[in-house]
Amino acid sequence: MSDCLFCKIVDGEIPSSKVFEDEHIYVFEDINPKADVHLLVIPKIHISRLDQATQAHAELLSHMMLSLPKLARQQGLEDGFRSIINTGPGGGQEVDHLHIHILGGKKLPGFH
Ligand code: 5GP
Ligand code: ZN
């Protein structure tokens, strides 16, 4: 139905290492981890990028944001974590389905 990679992951058409799922979001391990812990938090509905989200998505975006600390704690990231949203080519976004990266663990490099 959809040609979107992450929609296919939500639908189970493409396998993923699922960490958490509820009615609205799906959370899985990044296939090419950039840190000890590297998760992707995505909405189950297709939103291509953050600048395509609207006020109608406010509750969903809030839910995604508030899930981050819980997911980080579940991964043992007691000292904190980094969250990243890349938007569009200018932001280095490679997969056109909104996602929040959660990164953490030892030796996370500084951000300059
Ligand atoms: P972006 O650069 O769009 O912000 O991040 C896309 C992320 O998706 C990258 O970190 C990449 O490693 C990850 N990724 C791409 N394809 C797959 C896949 O098929 N499965 C999983 N689990 N992650 C993927
Ligand atoms: Zn999608």
Side-chain angles (χ1 to χ4, degrees):
M1 199 175 90
S2 167
D3 234 11
C4 169
L5 175 65
F6 285 178
C7 282
K8 286 181 178 164
I9 283 180
V10 170
D11 291 344
E13 272 179 62
I14 291 176
S16 65
S17 299
K18 181 173 82 172
V19 166
F20 176 80
E21 168 177 28
D22 68 15
E23 195 186 340
H24 302 292
I25 64 174
Y26 189 91
V27 184
F28 56 108
E29 291 175 358
D30 196 291
I31 204 165
N32 181 22
K34 308 278 196 305
D36 292 344
V37 175
H38 188 171
L39 303 182
L40 299 171
V41 181
I42 68 175
K44 285 191 167 178
I45 61 164
H46 182 83
I47 300 170
S48 58
R49 30 193 272 186
L50 185 60
D51 58 6
Q52 297 301 307
T54 68
Q55 194 59 36
H57 302 117
E59 208 171 323
L60 174 59
L61 295 177
S62 166
H63 178 57
M64 289 174 72
M65 201 62 78
L66 292 171
S67 73
L68 304 180
K70 296 178 201 165
L71 291 159
R73 262 197 310 277
Q74 280 168 17
Q75 295 291 312
L77 301 177
E78 303 294 342
D79 285 345
F81 60 93
R82 179 173 298 162
S83 34
I84 297 174
I85 304 176
N86 296 322
T87 301
Q93 183 177 2
E94 287 174 358
V95 178
D96 279 336
H97 181 125
L98 175 64
H99 49 282
I100 305 178
H101 297 258
I102 297 178
L103 298 140
K106 61 181 184 306
K107 283 200 273 184
L108 204 56
F111 186 75
H112 303 288

